[in-house]
Amino acid sequence: SALVASAFRFNMRERFRENDNFLSTHALRCNRCNAAAWNYIFRLCGFHCSYMELLAHTADSSIAEGLQLEYVRAYDAVQRMVTNSVLLSNNSLVLQLSPEHFWREN
């Protein structure tokens, strides 16, 4: 999906890949992934890496595998977004915006 591709591009920025402090403080964290995704992701490096490190290494070998890794990480968050959208779609206290709300007419 476009959301996963966008997250992949965001996480692949050079400043994340070169910042040792960021990598060391984010070891074994995958930004709200669920337990199954956490196990799958960090099993790939023997539970001795950061997500950014693993993503960079994986994407250097194969962009497709890097995107797959990002998909695994983001799956639970995307599912929560979809669920919340459905649950809140008829709630009058929630402001509903669609992409069309941001289009400008010239």
Side-chain angles (χ1 to χ4, degrees):
S1 82
L3 183 65
V4 172
S6 177
F8 175 77
R9 283 190 304 274
F10 179 83
N11 288 330
M12 290 301 297
R13 292 179 303 171
E14 283 298 318
R15 68 179 170 172
F16 284 157
R17 296 176 76 168
E18 296 175 356
N19 185 338
D20 290 335
N21 290 332
F22 183 89
L23 294 176
S24 64
T25 59
H26 288 81
L28 299 180
R29 294 186 190 160
C30 58
N31 193 19
R32 299 181 185 158
C33 65
N34 64 24
W38 186 90
N39 278 306
Y40 174 85
I41 290 167
F42 293 110
R43 181 177 44 87
L44 297 172
C45 66
F47 302 93
H48 295 288
C49 65
S50 73
Y51 176 70
M52 298 300 184
E53 240 174 358
L54 181 61
L55 183 63
H57 176 73
T58 302
D60 284 345
S61 300
S62 166
I63 295 294
E65 289 179 19
L67 282 166
Q68 176 65 28
L69 194 61
E70 184 60 33
Y71 176 81
V72 169
R73 186 208 58 81
Y75 179 80
D76 197 50
V78 171
Q79 287 300 108
R80 283 192 309 271
M81 285 182 220
V82 170
T83 299
N84 286 338
S85 293
V86 170
L87 291 174
L88 299 172
S89 64
N90 293 319
N91 187 328
S92 63
L93 300 176
V94 175
L95 177 61
Q96 304 291 336
L97 297 174
S98 68
E100 292 81 16
H101 287 96
F102 298 98
W103 292 354
R104 292 175 69 183
E105 291 185 29
N106 292 333

